[in-house]
Amino acid sequence: MDGLLHYGKQNINENDINAVNEVLTSDFLTCGPKVDALEKKLCEYTGAKYATVVSNGTSALHCACIAAGIGPGDEVITTPLTFAASANCVLYCGGKPVFADVDPDTYNISPSSIEKCITNRTKAIIAVDYTGQVVDIGEIKRICDQYNLILIEDAAHSIGSSYKGQKVGSIADITTFSFHPVKTVTGGEGGAVLTNDEEFFKKVQLIRSHGMQHVSEYEEINDDEKGPWYNEMVLLGYNYRMTDFQAALILSQMERIDLFKQRRDDLVNKYNEAFSKIPEIIIQKEIKESDTCRHLYILRIDYSKLKCNRKEFYNEMKKKGILCQIHYIPTYWFPYYKSLGYERGLCPNAEKIYSEIMSIPLYPALTDDQIEYVIKCIQEIILVNR
Ligand SMILES: *Cc1c(COP(=O)(O)O)cnc(C)c1O
């Protein structure tokens, strides 16, 4: 390692290593029993009826958009304060991402801003549980019912969180997870698509693997072209499969998800307590309905009260051995989105929040000494810049 404290870090133990090793010497490296077991586990854990594991969180979002029937001419409303994949998946399908602004206190997509974006072309909403806090899903569902929209929850940050006691994964029409190493639970790479709707589920299963299905009834037909080997391609799918060793790693990690949540909660409380005494720091607000399994800790500073700017603050942190990250540059600021005609100024709340935030270390193995050190460094930098 480089000796720096990073904003996030995977947690791998002996059990994880053994779980992967076992698969490597088994009969199935992909599409085997661990994939099935993980899908079952995700259903049990979240309460969702159906789960399909896929190659990563981005392919999960792509599957969700295809299953939702997004195509040319369709508009899909999402947040700009997210990883680009939350909007890119709409572009993959030929649809148009429409950016609604975020709430200035929770940083999650704002229901009133969603309503302002709705047109007769709107087909779906992709709501992102930013930093793990569940969006205002009660209100967003009401909007979806009123305008007949499909709700896709990008829960890349929020595995382990619940809304009014109901686990993320079982609430929206379609929910997607990511198992990238910075996320709460990892498989190296990996993703999942969860739903309670059998039609969405069947479609996602097909999309994951080339749109092919085994057609057993042909085994009995006396036709030389169609026998027990016959697979039929019924739609244009992809290879978005997950390997069995990734599934085994994720399964092993799922054993510790409650421990991960507990430690993340403790760390968030320590940060919040320390920062509540510093007037320049703005603490992210929580809605009471969300029991959050926190993925990122956002240090937000009112730089108008300090002599330094965000970049200088970031560099001071780095000098002290703490490597922060910014989550996120508003998606529509990227050159590619600019080339599509999106302009700065579209979502003022998201742009202001973006200019004031950085993610500071938050992961289960962060020790009490380390978090004390991070807090001390932040206090020091603020003190010399008052
Ligand atoms: C990480 C992430 C994704 C993409 O997941 P990958 O597994 O990296 O493809 C999508 N949306 C959000 C909000 C993410 O944080």
Side-chain angles (χ1 to χ4, degrees), residues 56-59 61 82-83 85-86 128 154 156-157 178-180 183 189-190 295 328:
N56 54 62
T58 305
S59 55
L61 282 164
T82 182
F83 186 60
S86 310
V128 180
D154 178 348
H157 295 185
S178 163
F179 301 110
H180 182 273
K183 310 292 159 73
E189 297 278 357
H295 162 53
Y328 295 91

Side-chain angles (χ1 to χ4, degrees), residues 265-284:
D265 279 351
D266 291 346
L267 295 168
V268 168
N269 289 336
K270 283 183 204 287
Y271 276 140
N272 283 349
E273 200 197 311
F275 297 153
S276 64
K277 300 179 190 113
I278 303 178
E280 291 87 353
I281 295 182
I282 302 158
I283 295 175
Q284 182 182 7

Side-chain angles (χ1 to χ4, degrees), residues 47 97 185 212 240 245 258 262 271 335 353 379:
V185 169
M212 284 198 187
Y240 281 165
F245 43 91
D258 293 332
Q262 185 59 54
Y271 276 140
I353 292 161
Q379 287 166 336

Side-chain angles (χ1 to χ4, degrees), residues 87-131:
N88 289 349
C89 55
V90 179
L91 295 177
Y92 297 158
C93 295
K96 182 185 171 197
V98 174
F99 295 98
D101 209 351
V102 299
D103 180 278
D105 299 320
T106 66
Y107 319 154
N108 266 332
I109 194 166
S110 137
S112 61
S113 179
I114 289 175
E115 276 197 291
K116 287 190 198 119
C117 294
I118 289 173
T119 71
N120 54 17
R121 292 174 170 248
T122 309
K123 190 143 187 183
I125 296 171
I126 299 177
V128 180
D129 298 326
Y130 178 73
T131 73

Side-chain angles (χ1 to χ4, degrees), residues 344-355:
R344 288 190 180 216
L346 196 58
C347 299
N349 292 344
E351 293 184 15
K352 177 157 198 326
I353 292 161
Y354 155 71
S355 72

